[in-house]
Amino acid sequence: KNSKITAFGSTMHKDNKPEKDENLLSIVKVKPSVACIFGKTWDLHVKYALSTTPEKNLDMIFSSVKFLKSNGLEVIYDAEHFFDGYLSNPKYALSTLEAAVAAGADNITLCDTNGGMLPHQIEKIITEIKINAPLGIHTHNDSGCAVANSIVAVRSGCVLVQGTLNGWGERCGNASLSSVIPNLKLKLGIDCIHNEKIKLLTETSRYLSEVANIIPSDKQPYTGYSAFAHKGGVHAAAVAKKSSTYEHIDPSVVGNERRVLISELSGSANIILKSK
């Protein structure tokens, strides 16, 4: 009941006016309550991907956001390649954000599109910039840090997280909301999901895998089949006495369950727990 369907696209083509741009017109045509468009932040992309000038790119951002706002839409502006762009040319990167803010963007989402940033870089950059708009974060997992980067971004002031359940996405994937949500809720106490809903996390994660015909990862944090599985005899013996010795949360909180395995590493506690 709280979700909003969002139409996604890009800023207008460099040779178009916003009212004649097919991409923007398509967004308006479907009549969403929210539009999310991405634009170029990194001057490298402006030169080589768009083949245009820095000034023209700023106009494309401003005019596109302004057009969508004039049609009554809430607008999220995704600053593509923001962190790479900021490290390359901070002044220009910030000017692209300011263009979107000036046009009325409701949220500026900072994107680690190549997925190469580390948490300390994300934290440093977000705390450095001063933008008069709520911030969001959009991370990819090419350095294995998408979830960590999202958490750090929220702690640094971001109020919106873009990601996918199970972490599916381009190349190495996007930030996995299956991990982001329980980390925010259970570890940081941020009320990003209703208490009764988080118990559906494992079921929902596996249901989406079924629909997508993708074998779920047993090793996925929180929702994976092995997330609360105990194989070593030392582990099982301790868990039998007190579960928190080898479990960072009660698995039932996220709708998962404890498993005890029997193998050459088992001890008597494994056998007893398994038989029970």
Side-chain angles (χ1 to χ4, degrees), residues 129-271:
I129 66 174
K130 305 298 177 186
I131 296 295
N132 189 28
L135 296 177
I137 185 69
H138 175 120
T139 62
H140 283 258
N141 202 39
D142 299 71
S143 61
C145 293
V147 170
N149 285 343
S150 298
I151 299 302
V152 165
V154 171
R155 284 177 52 83
S156 300
C158 289
V159 297
L160 179 148
V161 177
Q162 294 181 358
T164 61
L165 216 65
N166 299 332
W168 299 332
E170 193 86 6
R171 303 182 313 275
C172 302
N174 289 67
S176 176
L177 296 179
S178 312
S179 296
V180 172
I181 290 171
N183 279 337
L184 293 179
K185 176 72 173 179
L186 303 177
K187 302 302 178 74
L188 295 181
I190 296 174
D191 195 21
C192 61
I193 186 172
H194 294 298
N195 291 334
E196 67 274 13
K197 293 293 185 182
I198 199 167
K199 294 180 181 179
L200 300 175
L201 189 66
T202 299
E203 177 186 341
T204 305
S205 169
R206 294 176 184 176
Y207 171 75
L208 286 183
S209 294
E210 180 76 18
V211 170
N213 197 29
I214 294 175
I215 298 173
S217 170
D218 288 348
K219 299 294 186 181
Q220 184 159 288
Y222 289 102
T223 63
Y225 192 53
S226 298
F228 300 95
H230 305 284
K231 184 178 181 180
V234 172
H235 291 214
V239 167
K241 298 172 183 175
K242 191 168 182 62
S243 61
S244 60
T245 52
Y246 282 95
E247 290 176 349
H248 67 113
I249 66 163
D250 179 342
S252 66
V253 172
V254 291
N256 208 337
E257 60 184 4
R258 180 179 303 118
R259 295 170 55 230
V260 177
L261 311 181
I262 304 299
S263 76
E264 75 284 0
L265 300 178
S266 298
S268 58
N270 296 65
I271 307 295

Side-chain angles (χ1 to χ4, degrees), residues 81-145:
H81 294 282
F82 172 75
F83 295 97
D84 290 297
Y86 184 85
L87 291 176
S88 171
N89 186 341
K91 184 177 179 180
Y92 183 72
L94 287 173
S95 71
T96 65
L97 305 188
E98 290 164 354
V101 172
D106 297 281
N107 178 281
I108 303 294
T109 291
L110 311 174
C111 304
D112 180 23
T113 314
N114 283 353
M117 294 292 122
L118 299 179
H120 73 281
Q121 295 173 299
I122 298 288
E123 181 180 32
K124 180 177 184 295
I125 293 172
I126 292 177
T127 53
E128 279 181 359
I129 66 174
K130 305 298 177 186
I131 296 295
N132 189 28
L135 296 177
I137 185 69
H138 175 120
T139 62
H140 283 258
N141 202 39
D142 299 71
S143 61
C145 293

Side-chain angles (χ1 to χ4, degrees), residues 8-121:
F8 180 73
S10 69
T11 54
M12 67 187 193
H13 189 276
K14 63 179 180 179
D15 297 327
N16 289 345
K17 296 292 185 183
E19 61 274 11
K20 299 290 186 181
D21 189 83
E22 290 186 10
N23 177 62
L24 295 179
L25 290 173
S26 295
I27 291 175
V28 172
K29 184 178 179 180
V30 299
K31 299 179 180 179
S33 57
V34 184
C36 179
I37 59 169
F38 69 91
K40 300 298 186 184
T41 305
W42 194 358
D43 54 4
L44 180 80
H45 272 253
V46 175
K47 180 178 180 180
Y48 292 104
L50 292 183
S51 299
T52 191
T53 65
E55 294 74 23
K56 180 60 180 177
N57 180 53
L58 294 177
D59 175 64
M60 291 162 62
I61 296 169
F62 178 86
S63 298
S64 299
V65 173
K66 192 77 172 176
F67 175 74
L68 294 173
K69 289 298 295 181
S70 70
N71 281 274
L73 298 178
E74 179 182 339
V75 177
I76 298 169
Y77 176 70
D78 275 14
E80 190 188 26
H81 294 282
F82 172 75
F83 295 97
D84 290 297
Y86 184 85
L87 291 176
S88 171
N89 186 341
K91 184 177 179 180
Y92 183 72
L94 287 173
S95 71
T96 65
L97 305 188
E98 290 164 354
V101 172
D106 297 281
N107 178 281
I108 303 294
T109 291
L110 311 174
C111 304
D112 180 23
T113 314
N114 283 353
M117 294 292 122
L118 299 179
H120 73 281
Q121 295 173 299

